[in-house]
Amino acid sequence: MSEQLPESPDAEAFPDSLDPVNADAPESVNSDDPQSVNADSPAPAIPELPDEPDAPEAPRQGGMPATRVKIIGVGGGGVNSVEGLMSGGLLSAETVMNAEFAAVNTDAQALETSPVPERLVIGRAQTRGLGAGGEAERGRAAAEADRAAIDALVSGVDLVVLLVALGGGTGSGAAPVIAKAAAESGAMVISFVTLPFSWEGDRRTRQAHEAIDRLRAECEAVIPMHNDMLLQGEGADAPVEAAFNRANAWVCSGLNALCGMLFKRGLINIDFATLRSALPVRGGRTLFSVASAEGDDRFRLVLERLMDCPLLYTKDAVRTADTLVVNIVGGAGLSLARVNEILSAVKGRFGGRENTVLGAVIDDSHSDFVEVCVLGSAGIARKINAPRPRRPSAELRSAPKTEDPEGSIGETDILAAEESAAASEVDPAKLAVVAEGDAQKGAKPRAGAPAQTEIAFDEPGDFFADSHTRIDGQDIDLPTFLRRHIRIRL
Amino acid sequence: MPRNNLVAAIDIGTTKTVVLIGEIQADRKLNIIGLGERPSAGLRKGEILDMSAAKEVVHAAFADAEKTAGLHGKVRHAYLSLTGSHLEGRRYVGSTSVAATRVSREDIERAKNDAKRRKTADDRFVVHYVRQPFFLDGKPLANAENMVGKRLEVSYWTIDAARNRLEELLHIPNDMGVHADDLVVSSLASAAMVADDTMKRNGVLVVDIGGGVTDYALYYNGYVVQTGVIPVGGDHITNDLALGLRISREEAESIKIKFARAYIGADDEHATVFVSNAGSPIGGREFYKRSINLIVSARVDEIFQIIRERLGRFGEGDRVAAGAIITGGTALLNGLDLCAANALKLETVVGQNPDWVTEELSGPKYSTALGLLQYALGAGDGARRMPGAPAGIMGHIRKFLRL
């Protein structure tokens, strides 16, 4: 169960629901609050942007305290990036409506003219508002000096997203401090960072790599984008802004997927606690890929493109993860069967054995469209069983999990998990769509199924299955390099 | 009757369909006057999966060819290439005792009939009896008539095909009112183009690597010794690249054409190529050349290893003095000849169509279609038949299939 679970008949099928928020405030779930999401109504009216962007407990969907997401640009490049996102038109309605935008810089003048609503100049005493001069040490000192203001900036926020262009002084120096402050306040921290062009010189590259290591220690996920790589597709005379625009396009896709998971009413919802459970520790390596496709062939194409995502192939990116968050947004054709197909394919390619969290949303406005976002964490398998303490509010909203106290998900009955998840999470208003598409098990809500938001699958997907020819006992259609165990470096 | 001597060559490949129109003058002279070429649809590994899709493409290519020849609706005869793993080849030996002291025509007929006496299964049909030399008391002879001896033997390399596949293929010309004069196994048609008589006498292996299948034919002493089809082709290379590099088929195809090489070079170790993302405004990726070439060379090596194994002792160097000749669309893959030479342990070259072929048709992907016209002209390996001529194997097939 999640806080986004729409008011629906089967909400009553789980009287002993473990959702503590529901238990605490049943009236609000069933209230006539115009902003509460009703399954029988058409798509909810777009709520207005909150006047107070940092109002900590602004009641939103279902009258519950909404998950607060704050997107903070740090340093000149990071602030540019936030401004680009706000004006670029690439962010989804969910992101714009639910996220708060903020800018942190040492350069007071640059911030003065910025359209970002919440602006914080740090280190005035150290730099006299003149910037960090490319020195990460100065950026860090500036942030440390204004730690109180930074604490206030991140206070009460559930998910802090940092956008940083690493290499310069403020971004490289201050971002790890802000990440630390956010983590200490109990927030989950995800950073999208660009790494400098190689021609920017060794010093900036070194500064960027030191910063990324520091950030990793404080963040649940760090998604690096290499400027060199971003520009390579553009041809020799492409302007540097092209890399900037490309980086922003990826950030937008990632943010839209995250906010879509958290705020869009879905076939299978992810609430913040669930999202968090999939990225349970800091310091891991991050896997991130997002892709979309349209047309009749979209379900195949989107998987292909997901494997194509350049962010998977940067030098220090990982290609399989211990935990995965998979979010699928599709038009009316997105049935549970499709969702399962995509999920098993994604798991087959990216791993996620320790924990996989699935979100699925039907977006009626695009009928033949599908977008898949995968966010994962690697190298953390041993740390998972000892997650760091969470602040009480996060704990309160935490959804019950399928894993037993030892965290051995492998023992979960896969089918039961699948069916019960379908039963508990499917929006009845969307069931008609599912039933039309495929005769799918789990399409009928079942009373008494345990509420859960996580689905564990162990079978790796094989969506390249084909009719196969055997020669001398070998399946000749499988790539030779696989059968000969030749390792392919990517 | 010049119009009656128009004949089309229809080569329906897994990835592309080629139609050539030839004008045969005075039984000996061939002018190629029309070309139609379209990307195929509805085929996999050389076999038709979607009849209407495949047919539509062939009909369109045929119409294109007629149009370039300025002969709309005038071409009524066609030779078709035949491939697919449903084809099976084996050697059958027939023998007889020579009735008198010298071999008579009747003796020869008897030996031939003995070799062809074997019944095929109900769902199979023999498409080629390719005669091999006579043996008179164990001595090979090109022509045994009037020679002195006691026991006459003759063998045929016999190729049979699945009846359903044949029927499907023949429906394609049939449905546009075109008479299929003959079917020629792709490897033999290609060999007619890229290997000359001297090579065939000295021993030559012709390998036609297409998109979906690889056809091969081995010649020795001027005769076809063995033919075969391996259901692996250039599409597999593309697919392997797509899986290995985690890219789309379109990108894999483009990498294959632009960058791939069928062997690992010393300079591959750290070299990379950059490929921008197809269909996406953002991104693009860098690939190690070594990774690309490892994937490609593993597949190509395997194809030739399979051929080598199937040829057995017949494929050994001293019997194949003219080496191996590669043709077909995939022959253009960089380094294919080196990889093949290494796997086959034979000298290997990429085949050339004969000099009389125009520049436009000189590419290896046209070898099969050109070879079909060569067969139509009557200079192929089989019995000579002119367009519209009755009987032959096609007559049997037609009767058999009630077309």
Side-chain angles (χ1 to χ4, degrees):
Chain A
M1 302 286 290
S2 78
E3 63 187 18
Q4 275 80 39
L5 184 75
E7 175 193 341
S8 66
D10 53 328
E12 288 167 9
F14 310 106
D16 49 1
S17 155
L18 294 171
D19 186 334
V21 178
N22 264 356
D24 285 354
E27 291 84 4
S28 84
V29 168
N30 291 314
S31 73
D32 293 320
D33 178 347
Q35 290 203 11
S36 80
V37 183
N38 190 312
D40 298 319
S41 70
I46 294 172
E48 286 167 26
L49 266 168
D51 292 330
E52 291 288 319
D54 51 350
E57 299 291 336
R60 290 181 210 165
Q61 295 182 5
M64 290 182 291
T67 303
R68 283 187 66 203
V69 177
K70 191 175 269 192
I71 300 164
I72 305 173
V74 184
V79 174
N80 278 346
S81 187
V82 172
E83 289 169 3
L85 293 189
M86 288 172 63
S87 64
L90 288 172
L91 287 178
S92 67
E94 283 74 29
T95 314
V96 173
M97 282 187 305
N98 294 291
E100 303 158 33
F101 296 90
V104 177
N105 205 348
T106 48
D107 184 340
Q109 208 180 339
L111 269 192
E112 215 158 273
T113 53
S114 171
V116 180
E118 196 178 3
R119 304 182 291 266
L120 175 63
V121 180
I122 52 168
R124 265 187 203 278
Q126 286 75 24
T127 69
R128 289 171 292 137
L130 294 175
E135 290 282 345
E137 211 38 62
R138 271 201 230 174
R140 176 143 57 138
E144 297 287 7
D146 280 312
R147 178 64 195 264
I150 291 169
D151 286 344
L153 181 74
V154 296
S155 151
V157 179
D158 297 291
L159 172 61
V160 170
V161 179
L162 297 181
L163 308 186
V164 197
L166 292 179
T170 309
S172 313
V177 178
I178 298 171
K180 188 166 196 268
E184 283 174 5
S185 84
M188 179 176 181
V189 190
I190 297 179
S191 296
F192 288 88
V193 302
T194 56
L195 295 167
F197 289 103
S198 44
W199 48 256
E200 290 180 59
D202 287 348
R203 209 180 71 88
R204 286 176 68 85
T205 304
R206 199 173 52 244
Q207 204 154 265
H209 281 106
E210 284 166 11
I212 213 171
D213 287 343
R214 289 213 176 97
L215 270 176
R216 281 210 175 96
E218 307 296 345
C219 294
E220 274 82 357
V222 176
I223 296 136
M225 295 170 285
H226 294 252
N227 274 337
D228 285 335
M229 180 206 78
L230 292 166
L231 202 54
Q232 260 174 326
E234 291 282 352
D237 51 354
V240 171
E241 295 85 76
F244 172 79
N245 291 336
R246 280 179 179 233
N248 261 10
W250 286 115
V251 171
C252 280
S253 299
L255 286 176
N256 287 342
L258 285 170
C259 291
M261 278 180 220
L262 294 173
F263 301 115
K264 223 169 188 172
R265 201 160 49 93
L267 196 63
I268 299 167
N269 286 315
I270 294 180
D271 66 0
F272 179 69
T274 311
L275 174 66
R276 183 155 213 168
S277 74
L279 297 166
V281 289
R282 290 175 276 165
R285 295 267 163 161
T286 304
L287 176 151
F288 179 81
S289 181
V290 58
S292 61
E294 287 172 37
D296 290 343
D297 211 12
R298 61 189 178 280
F299 294 108
R300 185 184 65 82
L301 277 177
V302 76
L303 289 170
E304 277 186 7
R305 290 185 185 158
L306 202 61
M307 313 309 162
D308 288 356
C309 179
L311 301 186
L312 286 174
Y313 299 95
T314 52
K315 288 185 191 80
D316 46 2
V318 290
R319 286 163 203 106
T320 57
D322 301 321
T323 64
L324 284 180
V325 182
V326 183
N327 188 57
I328 304 166
V329 182
L334 182 70
S335 60
L336 276 175
R338 285 296 189 188
V339 168
N340 283 341
E341 207 175 288
I342 293 170
L343 181 68
S344 63
V346 165
K347 286 194 54 118
R349 302 307 278 184
F350 294 124
R353 291 191 65 84
E354 291 290 335
N355 187 4
T356 293
V357 162
L358 170 71
V361 168
I362 287 180
D363 178 353
D364 291 319
S365 60
H366 302 80
S367 65
D368 63 348
F369 168 85
V370 63
E371 182 181 86
V372 180
C373 178
V374 179
L375 179 64
S377 197
I380 57 166
R382 269 167 295 149
K383 299 185 195 171
I384 276 182
N385 295 332
R388 64 173 181 162
R390 292 171 187 159
R391 66 172 173 171
S393 68
E395 207 56 49
L396 186 73
R397 282 183 245 148
S398 146
K401 295 175 202 155
T402 55
E403 55 193 316
D404 60 33
E406 273 75 52
S408 58
I409 287 174
E411 307 201 356
T412 311
D413 180 334
I414 292 165
L415 283 182
E418 182 185 323
E419 290 188 0
S420 58
S424 62
E425 297 298 337
V426 168
D427 176 349
K430 305 296 181 199
L431 280 176
V433 174
V434 175
E436 263 173 44
D438 310 67
Q440 230 283 324
K441 63 174 181 291
K444 267 190 188 168
R446 287 181 196 192
Q452 57 187 43
T453 48
E454 292 169 26
I455 300 177
F457 288 83
D458 275 335
E459 293 304 312
D462 177 16
F463 56 93
F464 298 105
D466 210 334
S467 81
H468 291 261
T469 309
R470 293 191 158 271
I471 291 181
D472 299 332
Q474 295 224 32
D475 181 344
I476 205 79
D477 290 322
L478 281 179
T480 316
F481 74 88
L482 284 180
R483 283 177 283 120
R484 290 186 179 177
H485 309 293
I486 296 169
R487 206 176 131 260
I488 302 300
R489 195 166 51 130
L490 283 171
Chain B
M1 44 165 222
R3 292 287 91 138
N4 281 345
N5 281 342
L6 291 171
V7 63
I10 303 177
D11 178 27
I12 306 170
T14 310
T15 51
K16 55 116 187 58
T17 293
V18 174
V19 177
L20 295 178
I21 291 174
E23 191 179 27
I24 293 172
Q25 294 175 337
D27 285 12
R28 292 306 317 168
K29 195 165 174 297
L30 171 69
N31 287 329
I32 297 167
I33 57 174
L35 164 66
E37 184 177 357
R38 297 246 172 170
S40 294
L43 279 98
R44 200 172 58 206
K45 298 179 197 170
E47 296 180 14
I48 297 167
L49 291 184
D50 179 340
M51 190 62 191
S52 55
K55 197 157 76 180
E56 194 178 316
V57 168
V58 177
H59 289 192
F62 196 90
D64 291 349
E66 281 193 323
K67 202 173 156 197
T68 57
L71 293 165
H72 183 67
K74 300 263 173 55
V75 182
R76 286 286 151 262
H77 296 278
Y79 273 57
L80 280 88
S81 65
L82 183 61
T83 184
S85 52
H86 65 100
L87 294 177
E88 282 172 19
R90 53 181 76 76
R91 182 168 175 264
Y92 286 131
V93 184
S95 62
T96 187
S97 298
V98 179
T101 50
R102 296 202 301 178
V103 174
S104 67
R105 288 191 177 197
E106 289 72 30
D107 294 329
I108 291 173
E109 276 312 303
R110 222 169 33 251
K112 284 181 174 179
N113 287 334
D114 186 48
K116 295 178 184 177
R117 74 184 185 279
R118 285 160 190 85
K119 286 252 186 293
T120 50
D122 282 350
D123 58 347
R124 310 283 305 171
F125 199 88
V126 175
V127 288
H128 280 291
Y129 285 110
V130 188
R131 192 172 65 75
Q132 295 178 334
F134 293 101
F135 283 87
L136 187 58
D137 298 336
K139 185 179 152 202
L141 292 168
N143 188 350
E145 196 178 345
N146 292 329
M147 301 298 280
V148 178
K150 289 198 167 96
R151 185 161 184 82
L152 178 69
E153 283 184 347
V154 66
S155 59
Y156 283 88
W157 183 255
T158 307
I159 303 170
D160 56 45
R163 175 185 164 154
N164 293 346
R165 299 288 90 77
L166 276 185
E167 193 167 352
E168 285 155 8
L169 179 63
L170 289 171
H171 272 303
I172 289 178
N174 219 47
D175 288 357
M176 54 180 174
V178 170
H179 185 270
D181 285 5
D182 207 351
L183 297 169
V184 182
V185 172
S186 295
S187 53
L188 297 181
S190 297
M193 279 298 105
V194 298
D196 63 22
D197 289 346
T198 312
M199 294 172 180
K200 288 176 183 171
R201 262 199 308 280
N202 293 339
V204 67
L205 170 69
V206 176
V207 182
D208 182 328
I209 309 191
V213 296
T214 298
D215 293 278
Y216 64 90
L218 179 69
Y219 290 80
Y220 183 62
N221 270 342
Y223 296 94
V224 175
V225 179
Q226 201 177 328
T227 64
V229 181
I230 298 162
V232 178
D235 290 349
H236 283 79
I237 300 174
T238 306
N239 190 50
D240 292 359
L241 282 170
L243 291 182
L245 304 176
R246 291 189 187 162
I247 52 179
S248 68
R249 286 191 70 91
E250 292 74 23
E251 287 163 313
E253 182 70 20
S254 149
I255 285 181
K256 181 177 83 175
I257 292 165
K258 283 192 211 150
F259 305 114
R261 202 170 54 187
Y263 62 91
I264 310 298
D267 55 325
D268 284 350
E269 192 54 52
H270 300 293
T272 58
V273 296
F274 186 83
V275 181
S276 46
N277 248 6
S280 166
I282 39 183
R285 271 176 56 194
E286 223 177 2
F287 300 99
Y288 290 105
K289 275 188 174 177
R290 188 179 156 83
S291 298
I292 295 171
N293 297 345
L294 274 171
I295 293 170
V296 172
S297 57
R299 177 61 84 174
V300 173
D301 176 72
E302 183 178 57
I303 293 173
F304 288 101
Q305 295 289 1
I306 292 170
I307 293 174
R308 180 162 182 252
E309 190 155 310
R310 291 203 177 167
L311 296 179
R313 62 193 168 90
F314 294 106
E316 284 164 18
D318 52 340
R319 291 174 191 253
V320 195
I325 302 175
I326 318 283
T327 186
T330 304
L332 296 174
L333 180 72
N334 191 358
L336 188 86
D337 45 350
L338 265 169
C339 183
N342 191 49
L344 294 167
K345 313 278 183 245
L346 293 174
E347 251 180 68
T348 305
V349 294
V350 172
Q352 300 279 322
N353 290 325
D355 294 341
W356 54 264
V357 172
T358 57
E359 183 69 30
E360 191 186 7
L361 297 176
S362 61
K365 63 179 174 171
Y366 298 114
S367 295
T368 307
L370 290 165
L372 289 173
L373 288 182
Q374 184 90 349
Y375 265 78
L377 185 63
D381 293 283
R384 204 175 137 198
R385 258 194 311 284
M386 288 306 295
I393 282 163
M394 277 311 295
H396 290 293
I397 293 175
R398 225 178 291 285
K399 219 166 105 188
F400 185 71
L401 300 177
R402 291 183 202 86
L403 275 171

